Amino acid sequence: MPFYVTTPIYYVNAEPHLGHAYSTIAADVLARHRRQRGEDVFFLTGTDEHGEPVAQAAERQGLTPQQLVDQNAPRFREMGERIGASNDFFIRTTDPEHVARVQEVVQRVHDNGHVYEGTYEGWYCPRCADFKTESELGEGNTCAIHEIRLEREREQNWFFRLSAFEDELKRLYAERPDFVAPSFRRNEALSFIEGGLQDVSLSRAKLSWGVPLPWQREQVVYVWFDALLNYYTALSYAREEEDLTDRFWPASWHVIGKDILKFHCVYWPAFLLAAGLEPPERLYVHGYLLMGEKKMSKSLGNVLDPNEVVERFGSDALRFYCFREVSFGQDGNVSAAGFETRYETELANDWGNLASRTLAMIERYRGGVVPDGEVDPVLGEGEDALAGIDGVVRELLDRAELSQALEAIWARVRRLNRYVEETKPWELAKDAAQSDRLDRVLYNLAEGVRTLALVLHPYIPETSGRLLDALSEGNRELDAFGARAGGAHVERIPPLFPKLEAR
Ligand code: ME8
């Protein structure tokens, strides 16, 4: 089963921040989970390197645009590595292979009769790279997202006949009710389409930093079409020896933020249809991470640096926090204090302690060998039953419900902690007559921790990997989920999430 997941490609004229890390981690969790299911996964991320803000930033710094992007793109690549992203390729829209492929597709759209020459007049936000309609304007002709005054642009350029795709898009949305998730975002996209579509510029005449339009090389392809096409072009050159397009297109999931919904949920499927290509299977539109009411963004200057967070708390803590603190899909506040609280209460106490206690008790009471035992019926009952958690996680992650799946896992972490308190293995150990009971409790704890570490692996791969190694579980696949007999050797390891004061 092929599974192809993407993140937005990020603008390189700003520093990477937690908002970017968020989308990348979300897509990474999905990619890792599908690999655990034995699927054929391709995970793509990268950088969006053309457009006006890049050209302007380069000029301010006395660099050529190419020098600027060469200087900045590695920061995004490094951010990915630091947060544990397992992407299979990193695309840069200045890659010559991407440029050539964009020209091919744009030419096809032209040859299919969906392009014409016209005059654009209206408001343009260079930061969004978006031609704003009157209804999208903020007060005083400002960009509602970036809070900057907009320029009125007038230029002769080429248009894409978006309006001609209105009916086809409506049909697509009707036939595929889960094309866009969550459903309130689907409704937002659909009402945009139902409100009537206007044609959009396909090229820019005033800019030179971009992909030259094949039939009029003085103009460049409008940066959004250049950027969107990355999802398609990457497959053709990500592997030297193989064109992956047939294997992975259409994409299974595009993970994006709500700021770029219109481009992805409206322009993108229309443009693909115009080129005779299949639209993606699904799009997941997540909300904003906010710091005190405002969207975290470099231009607003209110960013939480993911590098600092990783340095202090570790990449797994950051990955975990993102989907616990804010319900995936919604907007939500993040803060340094919030990190610390989640870290202490959930990672260090709930999970780290459970793992350490389990390993320590097996070592102390059973010489480091998991005893033989049977599944304790109390752990198989109720809403937080341990048995079947893999099925629950699969079902939720099929819908990219990252927070709900993590909450389902956490309910089991809490259940196992209660089990320790209820059974009190340290007291059972004092009484030789309770030896079988102690075997059973330790077996259930070892099994519980092992299976939870497996379903947690996509979220917190580094510490889950260490824990699974300590439990002599070499497998990381969900096939390993089924019950394992006793007999495995376990070893104690340093705390997975050391207390903050001890770090
Ligand atoms: O829009 N909260 O790039 P970009 C959550 N190059 N997610 C956030 C966020 C926040 N505060 N800030 C950013 C672009 N993001 C285009 C995309 S794709 C073909 C081209 C995430 O650098 C979120 O995914 O402005 C958002 O959609 C994306 O970064 C925008 O990144």
Side-chain angles (χ1 to χ4, degrees):
M1 276 274 283
F3 182 80
Y4 176 26
V5 60
T6 67
T7 74
I9 50 169
Y10 307 113
Y11 289 131
V12 283
N13 51 310
E15 291 285 329
H17 62 69
L18 194 59
H20 304 125
Y22 185 56
S23 305
T24 300
I25 296 169
D28 187 60
V29 172
L30 296 177
R32 286 176 182 269
H33 170 73
R34 295 296 182 135
R35 287 194 203 104
Q36 275 196 310
R37 287 160 68 161
E39 294 183 12
D40 183 20
V41 172
F42 195 78
F43 168 25
L44 180 71
T45 187
T47 41
D48 185 353
E49 306 191 356
H50 291 130
E52 209 165 344
V54 169
Q56 287 169 344
E59 201 177 311
R60 277 197 303 276
Q61 294 176 41
L63 299 170
T64 64
Q66 188 65 50
Q67 283 171 326
L68 180 85
V69 298
D70 286 346
Q71 177 183 299
N72 288 2
R75 296 183 191 154
F76 284 86
R77 202 192 284 265
E78 283 156 19
M79 175 197 76
E81 285 164 11
R82 226 165 270 147
I83 59 179
S86 62
N87 51 296
D88 297 286
F89 189 61
F90 188 96
I91 188 170
R92 298 182 52 189
T93 54
T94 50
D95 292 340
E97 298 92 336
H98 168 79
V99 170
R101 192 87 165 168
V102 166
Q103 289 177 322
E104 252 175 65
V105 180
V106 168
Q107 183 70 53
R108 218 182 306 159
V109 173
H110 171 277
D111 297 348
N112 289 347
H114 304 302
V115 167
Y116 63 94
E117 204 172 11
T119 306
Y120 175 79
E121 181 163 4
W123 303 98
Y124 183 77
C125 172
R127 298 243 186 95
C128 296
D130 191 8
F131 303 91
K132 303 281 179 183
T133 60
E134 294 293 330
S135 64
E136 288 172 320
L137 290 180
E139 217 163 284
N141 302 323
T142 53
C143 167
I145 296 172
H146 293 98
E147 301 175 2
I148 52 169
R149 216 166 254 293
L150 299 185
E151 302 279 327
R152 198 157 170 90
E153 298 264 345
R154 187 186 155 86
E155 68 175 34
Q156 190 79 8
N157 58 36
W158 292 83
F159 278 72
F160 167 53
R161 223 179 276 283
L162 179 65
S163 58
F165 289 87
E166 205 175 299
D167 288 340
E168 244 180 296
L169 286 178
K170 284 183 195 158
R171 208 172 317 128
L172 174 74
Y173 274 74
E175 282 167 7
R176 290 160 56 178
D178 56 6
F179 181 56
V180 175
S183 57
F184 68 100
R185 296 292 177 208
R186 170 187 186 272
N187 297 342
E188 205 176 300
L190 190 55
S191 63
F192 186 88
I193 297 165
E194 283 169 346
L197 296 178
Q198 289 169 16
D199 295 341
V200 289
S201 287
L202 171 71
S203 69
R204 295 298 314 271
K206 283 195 191 137
L207 299 183
S208 58
W209 179 237
V211 176
L213 203 61
W215 61 90
Q216 190 175 353
R217 301 189 69 85
E218 315 81 75
Q219 298 206 10
V220 295
V221 174
Y222 172 38
V223 69
W224 264 103
F225 289 116
D226 164 7
L228 286 162
L229 277 166
N230 92 88
Y231 302 131
Y232 179 72
T233 64
L235 294 175
S236 68
Y237 69 98
R239 295 284 168 272
E240 238 169 63
E241 69 287 3
E242 188 189 356
D243 186 327
L244 300 172
T245 312
D246 288 344
R247 190 160 137 204
F248 290 108
W249 194 262
S252 316
W253 275 112
H254 292 314
V255 174
I256 59 163
K258 68 177 187 181
D259 49 338
I260 54 180
L261 176 144
K262 177 178 77 180
F263 303 104
H264 283 79
C265 302
V266 183
Y267 293 12
W268 179 224
F271 200 70
L272 285 166
L273 290 169
L277 297 170
E278 262 188 84
E281 280 164 22
R282 301 184 68 178
L283 296 118
Y284 193 97
V285 185
H286 66 67
Y288 285 160
L289 299 182
L290 308 167
M291 289 196 77
E293 303 300 310
K294 289 233 155 133
K295 176 196 176 203
M296 193 188 313
S297 84
K298 181 71 182 167
S299 51
L300 295 177
N302 58 340
V303 291
L304 225 163
D305 181 355
N307 294 333
E308 276 173 31
V309 175
V310 168
E311 209 146 283
R312 256 193 94 198
F313 297 85
S315 61
D316 279 2
L318 173 68
R319 296 171 64 99
F320 174 82
Y321 175 78
C322 286
F323 305 106
R324 286 297 282 166
E325 190 76 357
V326 179
S327 180
F328 192 56
Q330 309 291 324
D331 291 351
N333 267 289
V334 293
S335 65
F339 263 108
E340 297 198 8
T341 309
R342 289 266 171 202
Y343 181 90
E344 288 278 350
T345 57
E346 300 196 326
L347 287 176
N349 291 344
D350 291 353
W351 181 234
N353 272 354
L354 175 68
S356 300
R357 283 168 116 181
T358 300
L359 297 173
M361 289 191 291
I362 293 169
E363 185 183 84
R364 193 171 318 131
Y365 305 137
R366 292 295 179 261
V369 177
V370 179
D372 262 325
E374 276 172 17
V375 174
D376 200 326
V378 297
L379 291 176
E381 293 160 3
E383 272 191 357
D384 50 8
L386 262 100
I389 176 63
D390 63 326
V392 174
V393 170
R394 280 173 202 248
E395 195 269 326
L396 287 166
L397 291 188
D398 279 350
R399 294 187 278 123
E401 291 298 355
L402 288 154
S403 293
Q404 288 183 37
L406 190 52
E407 174 50 32
I409 299 169
W410 223 252
R412 275 72 180 179
V413 169
R414 290 192 294 258
R415 179 70 194 92
L416 270 188
N417 274 310
R418 285 202 308 280
Y419 185 66
V420 176
E421 298 308 320
E422 286 156 12
T423 56
K424 300 192 174 44
W426 51 92
E427 290 189 0
L428 299 176
K430 290 183 200 148
D431 181 355
Q434 296 282 5
S435 179
D436 286 353
R437 173 86 180 120
L438 180 60
D439 278 351
R440 178 188 262 205
V441 168
L442 294 178
Y443 172 77
N444 277 275
L445 285 176
E447 271 300 279
V449 169
R450 184 183 68 88
T451 50
L452 292 181
L454 278 168
V455 283
L456 279 171
H457 193 265
Y459 289 92
I460 48 172
E462 195 264 321
T463 50
S464 306
R466 267 196 277 147
L467 180 55
L468 288 165
D469 284 345
L471 289 160
S472 303
E473 175 57 271
N475 209 329
R476 300 291 181 263
E477 306 237 318
L478 283 183
D479 288 349
F481 193 83
R484 189 171 75 159
H489 284 264
V490 306
E491 58 177 80
R492 292 181 73 164
I493 48 173
L496 295 174
F497 299 98
K499 294 275 185 195
L500 285 178
E501 67 269 19
R503 290 179 80 87

